[in-house]
Amino acid sequence: MAPNELAEWYWNVPRLSRYWFTGSVVLPLLGRIGLLSPYSMILVWEKLAYSFHIWRPITALLYYPISPQTGFHYLINLYFLYSYSTALESGQFAGNPAEYAFLLLFCWICLVALGCAVGLYLLMDPMVLAVLYIWCQLNRDTIVQFWFGMQFKAMYLPWVLLAFNMIIQGGGFTELLGILVGHLYFFLAFKYPQDLGGRQLIGAPEFLYRLLPRQRGGVSGFGVPPSNRRREDGTDGAGDDERRGGWFQNRFPGAGHRLGQD
């Protein structure tokens, strides 16, 4: 890829995904070459609470230790971060950066709280899984491709990754935290208000809309649930939605993103 093509690709990445991706490249590299101390970038509750290292929740999200043993996993994280964050920001959240910023902030704050509670030092893995999980739920019937030619519906991908990491690395706890946080956001933002007829419980505050105003061509009225999806005949119309193309397709237009495609 020529330098001008690389620059064009980089600047075409949606803004919030580009910031996240850039930080996730720069901080690990700075830690790898020794310009920043890895210990100063991980999430340590005692340092945050008693020494006021207020940068640690941010650096713990962006930093990942690069070594011959972890390098491949780090690159996979970057690929998933780029693919699914870009897919969400330019797809379901197109034209509404404030709501996507709120999604990222919500997941990040939840993971910081959980990380402090359970002693989780790095947040890249669960944050990527949370965003991936949300995309998979909003595009649950899209067929995705995995290694060795496996194909399955997107709603199963987070669990396949969880099982894969448990087998390969003997872990899985951080991925499970990411899935739980992603499900919490999905339930509060989409499932409860739109499918269960509940109140809108979460959404971007006004100051985010002032910082990140809506852009033309995006989805209008994002996050505003219908008053009630239940029909007069007592059904909720879910079957019709499925026949017309899936759970999310009728609420937000746009093609699904398939793993491994440009």
Side-chain angles (χ1 to χ4, degrees):
M1 183 180 291
N4 58 337
E5 294 177 347
L6 181 62
E8 182 180 0
W9 166 82
Y10 177 77
W11 291 111
N12 283 333
V13 176
R15 176 169 47 169
L16 298 176
S17 298
R18 185 169 69 246
Y19 295 161
W20 184 13
F21 183 87
T22 301
S24 298
V25 171
V26 172
L27 260 66
L29 289 179
L30 292 178
R32 183 72 177 91
I33 63 179
L35 291 181
L36 290 177
S37 168
Y39 180 74
S40 70
M41 293 187 283
I42 64 176
L43 183 64
V44 179
W45 164 248
E46 292 77 12
K47 294 293 184 179
L48 176 63
Y50 304 117
S51 299
F52 301 104
H53 291 185
I54 58 176
W55 65 86
R56 286 181 180 268
I58 299 175
T59 56
L61 171 66
L62 303 175
Y63 175 70
Y64 194 87
I66 302 176
S67 70
Q69 292 75 32
T70 63
F72 181 72
H73 183 76
Y74 168 68
L75 293 176
I76 293 296
N77 269 344
L78 286 183
Y79 172 74
F80 285 148
L81 187 164
Y82 165 75
S83 297
Y84 293 99
S85 181
T86 298
L88 278 178
E89 188 175 356
S90 61
Q92 285 81 15
F93 292 86
N96 203 340
E99 286 293 343
Y100 189 61
F102 177 77
L103 180 156
L104 296 177
L105 286 171
F106 179 90
C107 293
W108 172 65
I109 291 171
C110 290
L111 288 172
V112 169
L114 289 172
C116 290
V118 302
L120 184 64
Y121 298 138
L122 300 170
L123 303 181
M124 180 182 284
D125 277 341
M127 186 69 175
V128 170
L129 258 292
V131 170
L132 182 147
Y133 179 89
I134 294 166
W135 182 90
C136 289
Q137 290 302 310
L138 298 180
N139 301 272
R140 54 191 299 115
D141 292 324
T142 299
I143 301 299
V144 298
Q145 298 180 4
F146 196 60
W147 291 350
F148 315 116
M150 291 189 297
Q151 296 184 353
F152 43 81
K153 289 185 177 182
M155 62 178 150
Y156 302 121
L157 179 59
W159 304 104
V160 171
L161 291 174
L162 173 64
F164 187 82
N165 284 333
M166 289 179 65
I167 294 172
I168 298 299
Q169 297 183 326
F173 179 69
T174 58
E175 289 81 4
L176 184 59
L177 289 181
I179 290 173
L180 292 176
V181 169
H183 182 74
L184 178 62
Y185 175 87
F186 173 76
F187 179 82
L188 295 176
F190 295 101
K191 188 70 175 178
Y192 180 68
Q194 294 183 355
D195 276 7
L196 303 180
R199 296 175 54 193
Q200 185 71 17
L201 298 178
I202 60 174
E206 186 61 30
F207 81 89
L208 280 180
Y209 278 102
R210 290 196 296 268
L211 291 174
L212 302 167
R214 291 181 184 272
Q215 302 168 356
R216 290 188 177 183
V219 178
S220 60
F222 176 87
V224 179
S227 57
N228 199 326
R229 292 184 57 213
R230 192 167 294 277
R231 298 176 176 174
E232 294 181 358
D233 61 4
T235 65
D236 59 5
D240 291 343
D241 280 351
E242 291 295 327
R243 286 190 291 272
R244 287 194 294 265
W247 184 90
F248 189 73
Q249 188 172 358
N250 293 314
R251 297 165 180 80
F252 296 95
H257 173 79
R258 296 170 185 259
L259 186 63
Q261 293 184 351
D262 293 332

